[in-house]
Amino acid sequence: MKMFGAPISPYCRKVQLVMAHKAIPFEWEFVTPGPDNHSYTEISPMGKIPAIQTEDGFTLADSSVIIAYLEKRFPNHSLYPTNPEDYAKALFFEEFADTALSEACTGLYFQKRIGPLAFGLPTNEDKVSEIMARSLPNALAILERLLPENGWIVNNQYSVADVAVGAMLISLPHMDIEIDNGTYPKTSQFLNTFMQREEVKTQIETENYAFATFQKQRMQTA
């Protein structure tokens, strides 16, 4: 199986964590997202990452769709609850992570890490200040209210809810942004627990290496 995208993308990260959890081998095809990449839009119609291509040529885009497909094809280590209510709850958290939480975490992540290191773009400090003042606190407040007191999000069973939420939150340590344990104790505890998983540790190491490579390249061309 082939995955198109880049390991530093939060949405690629989400799929990578699922592949690691299910022990699905894949190879990278690094692409820059965007509708102007016409060869890539044959695989991902909107030009977004990630996308995958199976051994028989089947292609699929969008992290949530890809994970649902992987669950059907590789049902080992299931990430979707069987109980209908728990299943719906897991899907809700995935949607929340991909929208409100991503708007804050990925918005900051692009401004402070991906943009400057991967694309040589300047950080928009006004945008950063706006996210830090409004979007991030609002998203974390909602998450804090919804999370259980301890354990994994849905009935204490590791699921796509944990993968999706965790995949967005681990952008924050990349920027040395700590979740205030006094204000968001459940969220802070969840992230700490999530980051102790072996596949998450490996993912973070991969991303740190990628960022170090980008930084070295930027210094050489400066």
Side-chain angles (χ1 to χ4, degrees):
M1 187 177 297
K2 185 180 293 184
M3 180 150 72
F4 298 84
I8 60 173
S9 158
Y11 292 100
C12 291
R13 176 194 295 154
K14 179 182 163 190
V15 175
Q16 289 174 89
L17 290 173
V18 169
M19 287 184 162
H21 177 73
K22 290 178 171 289
I24 303 170
F26 73 95
E27 61 182 48
W28 273 110
E29 182 78 24
F30 296 105
V31 299
T32 301
D36 295 331
N37 187 341
H38 299 299
S39 61
Y40 181 56
T41 54
E42 293 295 317
I43 297 168
S44 176
M46 293 182 288
K48 295 183 178 181
I49 56 175
I52 63 168
Q53 184 177 50
T54 65
E55 299 84 349
D56 59 3
F58 177 67
T59 58
L60 194 61
D62 185 273
S63 63
S64 297
V65 176
I66 291 169
I67 292 171
Y69 165 78
L70 294 175
E71 178 74 10
K72 288 292 186 180
R73 185 172 170 189
F74 304 96
N76 60 306
H77 304 297
S78 177
L79 287 167
Y80 291 84
T82 55
N83 174 274
E85 287 76 20
D86 288 345
Y87 175 78
K89 189 174 181 180
L91 293 185
F92 169 82
F93 272 95
E94 183 180 21
E95 178 67 14
F96 169 75
D98 285 354
T99 53
L101 191 59
S102 176
E103 179 183 345
C105 295
T106 306
L108 281 173
Y109 186 52
F110 183 84
Q111 289 296 331
K112 294 174 71 69
R113 295 290 282 173
I114 294 179
L117 290 177
F119 299 105
L121 298 174
T123 297
N124 184 330
E125 296 295 347
D126 290 339
K127 183 66 174 177
V128 169
S129 297
E130 178 186 347
I131 295 172
M132 291 294 292
R134 300 183 61 181
S135 300
L136 185 60
N138 288 346
L140 292 180
I142 294 170
L143 183 59
E144 181 69 19
R145 188 171 72 247
L146 296 175
L147 285 176
E149 289 299 324
N150 51 64
W152 299 119
I153 294 174
V154 181
N155 202 23
N156 199 24
Q157 297 295 313
Y158 189 71
S159 74
V160 68
D162 304 290
V163 176
V165 171
M168 294 304 154
L169 288 179
I170 62 176
S171 291
L172 299 179
H174 274 307
M175 301 174 285
D176 297 321
I177 296 174
E178 294 185 6
I179 296 176
D180 183 7
N181 188 57
T183 307
Y184 313 107
K186 292 187 292 184
T187 305
S188 176
Q189 179 181 324
F190 170 83
L191 179 57
N192 289 336
T193 301
F194 185 74
M195 291 180 67
Q196 294 307 308
R197 294 183 64 88
E198 289 304 317
E199 71 269 27
V200 176
K201 292 179 182 178
T202 300
Q203 178 66 28
I204 292 172
E205 290 175 1
T206 299
E207 294 179 26
N208 285 339
Y209 177 79
F211 277 123
T213 301
F214 283 130
Q215 190 166 22
K216 183 178 179 180
Q217 291 172 344
R218 289 290 167 197
M219 291 176 65
Q220 291 174 341
T221 57

